[in-house]
Amino acid sequence: MGPETKTYRIEPDETWFLKNRRYLLYMLREVSALFVLLYTLFFLALVLLVVNQPALFRQILPVVDTLPFQALTGVVLAFVVLHAVTWWFLTGKTLRIRLGGRVLSPQAITALGFVAWGVVSVVVYVLIFEGQIPGVFP
Amino acid sequence: MKPDRVSAFFWSLFSVGAFVVALLLPLHILFFHFGPLLGLTEADPLTEGYLRSWLSSPVVQIYILVLVGGALFHAAHRLKYVLFDLGLRKVYKQVGYGLYTLAILGTLGAASLLLPLVLAIVQEVLDRLPLPF
């Protein structure tokens, strides 16, 4: 009889992300998806209600103005900012962009992401508060 | 071995959605919910009159479709793998199907805002066509 075979078994451990600060940050970023999902569904419900069921919209709107709801929206904002910042740092490592025969460095790609974010912030501001982009869309 | 095109498709939606969420969602929440509080604007977007007028713009309808579709498909795919990471390996695929269904329905809901515009364009095209009837 030969020697006993030892098979490596992965022990199930659901708290692995609590053992290292980097793993915890990774898991917080992943969990941001839950807040993205909940907020998006809420916002979609809001716009569909105001168009199709204005009476129900009027009943829900006072809840949106309460302090606990605003605090919850603040938590959602913190999670989506975490997603955005970590995503721009990640794109530096995952994207390969050639410009004029040169490959951009990860730092340059990350910087481009933040610059694009700044430009888009102006567009989103105009879009939300003007409802149009002058010169582009009437 | 055949390439897994279905997984590649959902990973692509995840990546596009991640860009949409990173670019638009923080700004959207900041301006929409905290704009008046931070003194960025005098108008409160969270009122019936403002929203109804805002939603009548086609560019806003397209913006909402991109925001909602991108965010829902991104979140669905990521949450599916969060369940896997948390050890729920027997159910993560089934929950994933539910999340993708939610993403499809939500995107269709956002697209429904564009229906009047689409119908108007179709009507315009039909009016210009030299149809015999």
Side-chain angles (χ1 to χ4, degrees), chain A residues 15-33:
Chain A
T15 57
W16 57 269
F17 55 89
L18 296 174
K19 291 170 183 163
N20 180 313
R21 197 179 287 179
R22 281 172 181 262
Y23 296 164
L24 182 63
L25 184 67
Y26 163 82
M27 190 48 91
L28 283 174
R29 191 190 69 198
E30 297 301 288
V31 167
S32 71

Side-chain angles (χ1 to χ4, degrees), chain A residues 10 13-14 16-17 26-27 29-37 39-44 46-52 54 57-58 61 64-65 69-70 73-74 76-77 80-81 83-84 86-88 90-91 95 113 116-117 120-122 124-125 127-133 137-138, chain B residues 14-15 17-19 21-37 40-41 43-48 50-52 54-55 57-60 62-64 67-69 71-72 74-76 78-79 81-82 85-89 99 102 105-107 109-110 112-113:
Chain A
I10 301 172
D13 178 11
E14 288 77 25
W16 57 269
F17 55 89
Y26 163 82
M27 190 48 91
R29 191 190 69 198
E30 297 301 288
V31 167
S32 71
L34 180 65
F35 293 92
V36 169
L37 182 81
Y39 176 79
T40 308
L41 290 176
F42 156 75
F43 178 71
L44 179 64
L46 211 61
V47 295
L48 290 179
L49 281 178
V50 79
V51 172
N52 301 307
F57 173 83
R58 280 176 220 126
L61 198 60
V64 178
D65 279 334
F69 195 90
Q70 284 180 343
T73 314
V76 174
L77 180 61
V80 294
V81 167
H83 161 80
T86 53
W87 183 255
W88 297 128
L90 194 67
T91 49
L95 276 185
W117 205 15
V120 169
S121 69
V122 178
V124 175
Y125 180 90
L127 197 60
I128 288 179
F129 296 120
E130 304 289 334
Q132 58 188 358
I133 303 174
F137 287 106
Chain B
F14 162 79
S15 292
F19 270 104
V21 172
L23 271 176
L24 301 180
L25 202 57
L27 300 166
H28 175 88
I29 296 174
L30 181 72
F31 294 149
F32 218 86
H33 295 270
F34 299 103
L37 200 69
L40 296 172
T41 176
D44 184 0
L46 277 171
T47 54
E48 186 180 349
Y50 194 98
L51 271 177
R52 288 183 80 89
W54 188 61
L55 289 168
S57 162
V59 68
V60 168
I62 294 168
Y63 164 76
I64 290 174
L67 183 76
V68 169
L72 288 182
H74 165 75
R78 193 172 238 179
L79 280 175
Y81 288 102
V82 167
D85 285 345
L86 291 174
L88 300 166
R89 291 170 194 188
L99 290 167
L102 197 63
L105 292 176
T107 307
S112 73
L113 293 170

